[in-house]
Amino acid sequence: MTGADLPVWAAWLVVVLAVAGAAFSLTGALGLVRLRTFYERVHAPTLGATLGMALILCGSMLLLSLIEGRLVLRDALIGVFLTVTTPVTLLLLARAAAHRDRHEGDPDAPPRP
Amino acid sequence: MSRILPYPLLSAALALTWLLLNAPLTPGGVLLALLVGLAVPHVMRALRPPAVRVRAPATLARLAGIVLYDMVRSNIDVARVILGLRRGTRRTGFVAIPLDLREPFGLAVLSIILTATPGTLWVQYDSDTGRLLMHLLDDADGDAWIRRVKDRYERPLMEIFGCHPTPTSPS
């Protein structure tokens, strides 16, 4: 089966999943602009790295499974590795920001744990 | 057992990854996956990481379900905040949570859970006091979140990684 002769319901489902995932990622990017402080902003891109990523991967797995005529779960690995590695980046960013703010004596600096 | 399979979970994960990447199952592919699962963990021996023991698989499955639900719900909550659909004032701020969980693997999984649920940010963990500093995008009214992290995530993690809660003085 090629992409062209996909049943209509499947095509719609794939489109809905992909667009919903993209919408969550876009909302996350918008959050970077709209939110005010560093600590608020860090929350925003997580949208794209969690639900946005999951929805797009579900759409991709569904499409590939239908086209190849068997269950294709390869994309799930992207989700696993992304989920496992994102905390490292966020943790380093948060620690660096906390260190900077405390060092500068910023009144909004995080308290000591 | 431990000589041939020093890290059984790692072996299983590697073999499964190999099979997923080389998707249509062939006898040769399965054989290679088994070889990778058997051979590669021996490289890890040089680093001597402590082996992970999962003690409560049922709790693990339940926790996965809880996290999945929380992930979807908090994504929607944060999207509402960003798009300006949330009414009323937002209380953003830091919350310190006294954790009883000391197991490194448990803490690693907790950091993954807190990152996977937008709206919560792991800022700093102090291993001396066992206190975790979190930043919350919304509802930073303290106690509700402390209870949520401790009851929903920390207790199942302590069951899974087999450590017993030690009574700590309230702080």
Side-chain angles (χ1 to χ4, degrees), chain A residues 34 40 43 46 50 102 111, chain B residues 75 82 90 115 124 133 135:
Chain A
R34 283 191 59 125
E40 282 181 311
H43 292 287
T46 340
T50 54
R102 287 182 191 135
Chain B
N75 260 281
I82 292 172
R90 197 155 52 82
T115 309
Q124 192 173 11
L133 186 69
H135 184 265

Side-chain angles (χ1 to χ4, degrees), chain B residues 3-35:
Chain B
R3 274 196 91 83
I4 306 164
L5 282 174
Y7 307 108
L9 278 177
L10 179 66
S11 297
L14 278 170
L16 192 68
T17 308
W18 188 271
L19 284 177
L20 281 176
L21 284 173
N22 300 287
L25 278 184
T26 55
V30 174
L31 196 69
L32 266 177
L34 284 177
L35 265 177

Side-chain angles (χ1 to χ4, degrees), chain B:
Chain B
M1 178 75 180
S2 68
R3 274 196 91 83
I4 306 164
L5 282 174
Y7 307 108
L9 278 177
L10 179 66
S11 297
L14 278 170
L16 192 68
T17 308
W18 188 271
L19 284 177
L20 281 176
L21 284 173
N22 300 287
L25 278 184
T26 55
V30 174
L31 196 69
L32 266 177
L34 284 177
L35 265 177
V36 169
L38 280 176
V40 175
H42 286 276
V43 178
M44 290 292 286
R45 276 195 155 158
L47 299 172
R48 290 173 208 201
V52 187
R53 292 256 151 68
V54 174
R55 280 161 215 245
T59 315
L60 186 65
R62 206 170 58 233
L63 181 65
I66 290 175
V67 171
L68 209 63
Y69 172 76
D70 286 354
M71 192 263 277
V72 174
R73 221 185 47 182
S74 61
N75 260 281
I76 294 168
D77 286 347
V78 172
R80 284 166 64 92
V81 167
I82 292 172
L83 296 173
L85 297 173
R86 190 196 178 287
R87 293 198 188 120
T89 49
R90 197 155 52 82
R91 284 153 307 173
T92 178
F94 295 95
V95 169
I97 296 177
L99 290 180
D100 299 316
L101 182 71
R102 297 296 169 107
E103 166 79 38
F105 292 117
L107 288 168
V109 176
L110 185 63
S111 78
I112 292 173
I113 292 174
L114 290 181
T115 309
T117 52
T120 54
L121 173 69
W122 175 298
V123 179
Q124 192 173 11
Y125 172 72
D126 188 338
S127 54
D128 291 333
T129 57
R131 286 168 78 82
L132 164 68
L133 186 69
M134 276 185 12
H135 184 265
L136 300 172
L137 189 61
D138 200 358
D139 287 329
D141 46 8
D143 272 3
W145 268 99
I146 296 180
R147 285 262 64 85
R148 184 169 157 185
V149 170
K150 286 191 84 72
D151 292 346
R152 279 176 90 82
Y153 310 136
E154 189 193 14
R155 194 173 304 150
L157 281 174
M158 289 174 96
E159 263 179 57
I160 290 163
F161 292 102
C163 31
H164 299 287
T166 47
T168 46
S169 54
S171 46

